[in-house]
Amino acid sequence: MKKLQFLLLVCILTFAVSCGQQKRYISYKIQEGETMRDVASRLNMKTKDLFRLNPDVGRRPDANTVIVIPNPKLKNSTSSSTTISSPEETKTSDTVIESKDTISENEIENPVFQRTIIEYETHEVQKGETVYRITKQYDISKDELIKYNPEYTNIQSNNLSIGQILKVKEIKKTITIDKEEVLKNFLTHTVVKGETIYSLTRFYNISKEELILLNPEYPSLTDNNLSVGQLLKIKPIEEVNEKENYTFYKDEIIEDASIDIAILLPFKADEYSEKSSKDIFEGNQLANMVTDFYLGAEIAIDSIKKQGINVNTTIFDTGNRGENISTILNDNKIEDNDVVIGPFYSDKAEDVARLVNVPVVFPHFSSKQNKFSSSKLVKTSPDKDYYVSYLSSYLKDNYKDQEVFIVSDDKDETNNNTSKIISELKKHGSISEIHVLKPKNGYIKRARFTEKMSSERHNWVVVASDDNVVVADALNSMIGLPDDVNVQVFAIDKSNAYSKIDNNKLASINFTYVSNTYTDEEAMETKVFNKKYLQQNNTIPSDYAIKGFDITYDILMRLASGEELTETFKKGVSLRLENKFDYHQKIFRSIGNKGLFIVKYNKDLSLSRLR
């Protein structure tokens, strides 16, 4: 760390001498309706820092007031998507905003804000009417009727109830709203340089069509064009999950960034020195995990270097069960680094964190990680108890008169998870009954589900148990349900209990689960990484290879900002190839990642990200 501080000091002094004639600050004229907070947000700086430069200016200065703003000093500022250097130039459909040295008055737009609202013509179902008759009457398809009325899941099975009020025709209207109303009633995002339509829609998990519909004042969104300073409406405030972190971490690289990194992995070179590759890797899960992780990390380091960042990497072989770690620590070989990635074993990670004064990144999940106490330890995989609260929160936020079943068992952990799910669901206020089913004589009869289920309502089955027999029994009951019964099965995570279930069967029950990873195979970053990995290693990347890339890239990019790693964790969530990093720290505890997704199987076996 001292080495880095010295290098940064030299860089700062050099810059001051060589660029003494450049203006550190420039003037900016306030636009109509603009606040100091708006300007600070567009400049990617803290409002209080802007006030320090302009102590005589209030929070809402008059139009045409001239203030002083910093001449931006970062050479690069982009969204927290991943840039991977490729030997071939790759064209994308998104238009990337060009970086500029200053922000002019014209770049901060003050448009007339609009919103496209959708109203519906409705129809009350009469005796004898059918889905087919109604669709013909209003010249719409059955799919459109289902889309307009998601709360009536019985439409799918052609069932209607007398008195149902159905939406049958979509009517779009564009209304004008003022800026204060926008900020009050919407989750918003101010565009900074380097961001794309894809990076925004991916982070906020919305479609491009939804973004366009909410922002008709920016017709250029249709052509994937963004402008610095645009204030975009992301979603109505009532749709915002209060437990979700919507702060978007933006990658920043200081001039002459230099990072020293130590990677501690159990390569076990001495043990394997006399063995062939086949003998080392065939059936050896640890050897494959470690090697794949390193190969992914290697591509991350190369990509970071090609963005102008100096990375000094030292690789340490921790040996069998970390037997070399004591020697590594005693020789002070890792103390001068800015960060340590590894070791692989939880007890050894605690040893390293206790004896060094830099962040120690634990690179994968361990059932023992919830006992970590060192404030220097960074857990890159979420704790399992957070999976339960994340799923419970999603169910509560999306409940619309479903019949709810929870599949449990007699294990203490399962009962604890069941209690947490019930407690969260009952906060909704509209849920009168939750059916908890446990095996009797070793299994759960299908009739115990069907006697409570109805074709008139959508049915949720939440599997809280991870027992192989209980899971298989519950899923087989769901797969064999009558066609007119609509069911969606949820799991706390896709554990090994689901590995033997055919994916087509999972898709047929709308299987939905919590995951710490989600991959968009169509994303350009994913395609570039897969291609580069294949070129270098003659195989497609495994989950551990992608994990090695994501963790290493994210840590290095955060350090490239020139800030302490722990300070960057406070600045928002980053999305890489398939991992989300949303770091939080409780007092006197290790730093934990809460980056999770809700993922659903589609009928074509593709996966959709629901949250």
Side-chain angles (χ1 to χ4, degrees):
M1 184 57 69
K2 292 179 180 179
K3 181 178 179 182
L4 176 61
Q5 291 173 339
F6 174 75
L7 288 172
L8 289 176
L9 179 59
V10 171
C11 291
I12 292 169
L13 291 174
T14 303
F15 181 83
V17 172
S18 62
C19 304
Q21 301 303 315
Q22 292 185 2
K23 290 183 179 181
R24 294 181 61 194
Y25 303 99
I26 59 174
S27 297
Y28 171 73
K29 188 180 292 185
I30 296 292
Q31 306 294 299
E32 183 69 38
E34 196 170 43
T35 66
M36 293 290 275
R37 179 182 177 184
D38 295 334
V39 178
S41 177
R42 288 167 172 78
L43 291 168
N44 202 24
M45 66 184 295
K46 295 180 180 178
T47 306
K48 64 180 181 180
D49 293 333
L50 187 60
F51 277 122
R52 288 196 188 102
L53 294 175
N54 301 274
D56 299 326
V57 178
R59 292 186 177 275
R60 295 180 180 276
D62 294 334
N64 298 320
T65 300
V66 177
I67 64 172
V68 175
I69 65 173
N71 194 347
K73 55 189 176 182
L74 294 175
K75 75 173 182 179
N76 187 31
S77 177
T78 65
S79 61
S80 59
S81 56
T82 304
T83 302
I84 307 173
S85 301
S86 176
E88 301 176 6
E89 183 179 354
T90 304
K91 294 183 179 180
T92 69
S93 60
D94 280 357
T95 301
V96 180
I97 302 164
E98 295 182 2
S99 300
K100 299 181 182 179
D101 294 330
T102 60
I103 296 179
S104 68
E105 296 174 24
N106 293 331
E107 287 172 332
I108 302 182
E109 299 184 22
N110 188 28
V112 175
F113 288 99
Q114 298 175 320
R115 181 189 179 189
T116 300
I117 61 173
I118 299 176
E119 296 179 348
Y120 293 93
E121 182 180 340
T122 61
H123 174 89
E124 183 176 351
V125 177
Q126 305 297 316
K127 183 178 180 180
E129 288 188 320
T130 63
V131 170
Y132 177 78
R133 177 178 171 181
I134 291 173
T135 57
K136 290 303 178 185
Q137 180 179 344
Y138 292 98
D139 193 26
I140 59 175
S141 67
K142 179 181 175 180
D143 287 341
E144 286 176 311
L145 189 64
I146 292 171
K147 175 186 173 184
Y148 298 158
N149 301 275
E151 68 274 24
Y152 295 128
T153 55
N154 54 320
I155 296 174
Q156 179 69 51
S157 52
N158 296 309
N159 291 319
L160 297 175
S161 299
I162 296 173
Q164 280 182 330
I165 305 298
L166 301 178
K167 303 183 187 79
V168 292
K169 188 174 182 180
E170 192 176 71
I171 305 168
K172 292 182 180 179
K173 294 182 179 179
T174 300
I175 60 174
T176 301
I177 51 180
D178 61 37
K179 189 173 183 178
E180 290 301 317
E181 187 177 349
V182 170
L183 295 173
K184 178 182 178 181
N185 295 316
F186 294 89
L187 172 68
T188 61
H189 180 94
T190 301
V191 177
V192 299
K193 47 187 178 176
E195 290 179 332
T196 65
I197 295 288
Y198 173 75
S199 67
L200 295 182
T201 55
R202 180 173 181 248
F203 178 80
Y204 292 110
N205 196 31
I206 58 174
S207 68
K208 178 182 173 182
E209 290 69 28
E210 289 172 318
L211 189 66
I212 292 170
L213 194 64
L214 272 179
N215 299 275
E217 63 270 25
Y218 297 124
S220 61
L221 296 180
T222 304
D223 298 321
N224 296 312
N225 292 321
L226 295 174
S227 299
V228 170
Q230 281 178 329
L231 180 65
L232 299 176
K233 298 181 289 293
I234 301 299
K235 58 179 67 177
I237 204 70
E238 61 268 17
E239 296 179 13
V240 173
N241 175 24
E242 60 184 20
K243 293 185 178 180
E244 196 80 6
N245 187 351
Y246 290 103
T247 306
F248 198 3
Y249 180 77
K250 298 175 179 64
D251 295 337
E252 297 176 339
I253 304 172
I254 61 170
E255 294 288 346
D256 300 321
S258 183
I259 305 167
D260 294 322
I261 177 175
I263 298 179
L264 279 64
L265 296 174
F267 291 109
K268 301 198 285 188
D270 291 339
E271 180 180 334
Y272 295 148
S273 60
E274 301 298 325
K275 294 184 177 181
S276 67
S277 295
K278 182 179 179 181
D279 290 337
I280 294 172
F281 293 107
E282 194 170 275
N284 189 335
Q285 184 179 11
L286 178 63
N288 284 284
M289 286 165 49
V290 171
T291 303
D292 289 354
F293 184 93
Y294 175 71
L295 293 174
E298 193 175 41
I299 293 178
I301 293 168
D302 179 65
S303 297
I304 291 288
K305 286 181 176 180
K306 288 182 177 178
Q307 295 180 64
I309 305 167
N310 182 38
V311 182
N312 302 306
T313 309
T314 309
I315 311 297
F316 294 96
D317 182 0
T318 59
N320 186 31
R321 297 294 308 178
E323 61 186 4
N324 298 337
I325 289 178
S326 295
T327 301
I328 295 169
L329 290 171
N330 290 336
D331 292 344
N332 293 319
K333 292 181 178 179
I334 63 175
E335 187 66 35
D336 291 333
N337 288 279
D338 300 304
V339 67
V340 175
I341 295 181
F344 247 47
Y345 297 105
S346 57
D347 57 334
K348 299 301 180 182
E350 290 187 282
D351 290 342
V352 173
R354 189 168 56 249
L355 296 172
V356 300
N357 291 317
V358 297
V360 176
V361 178
F362 189 60
H364 62 141
F365 175 77
S366 167
S367 58
K368 299 178 181 179
Q369 68 177 38
N370 63 335
K371 297 180 181 179
F372 286 169
S373 58
S374 173
S375 60
K376 295 192 292 292
L377 266 173
V378 180
K379 297 183 288 188
T380 56
S381 295
D383 291 335
K384 288 301 180 183
D385 60 351
Y386 189 60
Y387 283 60
V388 181
S389 60
Y390 198 71
L391 176 61
S392 302
S393 172
Y394 174 82
L395 294 172
K396 177 178 71 68
D397 292 344
N398 290 273
Y399 178 78
K400 292 180 181 176
D401 195 38
Q402 290 89 348
E403 198 77 56
V404 182
F405 299 81
I406 300 180
V407 177
S408 187
D409 56 39
D410 292 321
K411 296 179 183 177
D412 290 341
E413 182 179 359
T414 305
N415 289 327
N416 185 40
N417 291 342
T418 300
S419 296
K420 288 180 180 178
I421 294 169
I422 292 173
S423 176
E424 185 67 19
L425 283 173
K426 287 191 172 180
K427 292 178 183 178
H428 189 280
S430 299
I431 303 177
S432 58
E433 185 177 14
I434 298 173
H435 312 288
V436 179
L437 304 182
K438 294 184 178 182
K440 291 181 181 179
N441 300 320
Y443 66 98
I444 303 174
K445 289 184 178 180
R446 182 177 299 164
R448 293 176 62 192
F449 290 104
T450 56
E451 66 186 9
K452 304 286 185 181
M453 290 180 169
S454 168
S455 61
E456 302 296 321
R457 301 176 70 185
H458 193 53
N459 301 281
W460 279 355
V461 176
V462 184
V463 184
S465 172
D466 63 356
D467 182 272
N468 291 348
V469 176
V470 174
V471 169
D473 189 31
L475 265 58
N476 285 333
S477 293
M478 295 304 98
I479 292 165
L481 289 174
D483 291 339
D484 62 345
V485 177
N486 199 312
V487 67
Q488 185 171 5
V489 176
F490 295 86
I492 294 171
D493 69 346
K494 192 170 182 272
S495 63
N496 290 333
Y498 299 89
S499 61
K500 295 181 180 179
I501 309 294
D502 182 82
N503 284 338
N504 286 290
K505 292 182 177 179
L506 294 178
S508 71
I509 55 176
N510 301 297
F511 181 63
T512 305
Y513 61 100
V514 183
S515 175
N516 66 328
T517 61
Y518 175 75
T519 305
D520 181 357
E521 296 293 347
E522 296 304 312
M524 186 57 62
E525 293 91 344
T526 302
K527 291 179 179 179
V528 172
F529 174 78
N530 290 342
K531 181 177 180 180
K532 188 162 189 176
Y533 193 91
L534 180 62
Q535 288 174 338
Q536 293 188 3
N537 305 297
N538 200 32
T539 186
I540 60 173
S542 67
D543 289 342
Y544 259 86
I546 298 173
K547 185 184 292 288
F549 177 89
D550 278 359
I551 290 171
T552 307
Y553 188 97
D554 187 72
I555 292 296
L556 290 177
M557 183 55 77
R558 287 174 180 269
L559 286 171
S561 68
E563 294 193 75
E564 294 289 332
L565 187 61
T566 51
E567 287 300 309
T568 71
F569 293 158
K570 301 173 185 177
K571 290 194 169 185
V573 184
S574 56
L575 277 177
R576 303 304 175 184
L577 294 180
E578 69 173 29
N579 290 272
K580 178 166 64 172
F581 299 105
D582 181 13
Y583 290 110
H584 297 263
Q585 183 172 23
K586 293 181 180 179
I587 190 168
F588 305 127
R589 300 290 294 175
S590 58
I591 299 166
N593 177 21
K594 291 187 174 182
L596 290 173
F597 305 97
I598 302 289
V599 179
K600 174 182 172 292
Y601 270 76
N602 300 317
K603 301 300 182 184
D604 62 358
L605 301 186
S606 63
L607 298 175
S608 293
R609 174 186 162 196
L610 302 185
R611 174 179 287 182

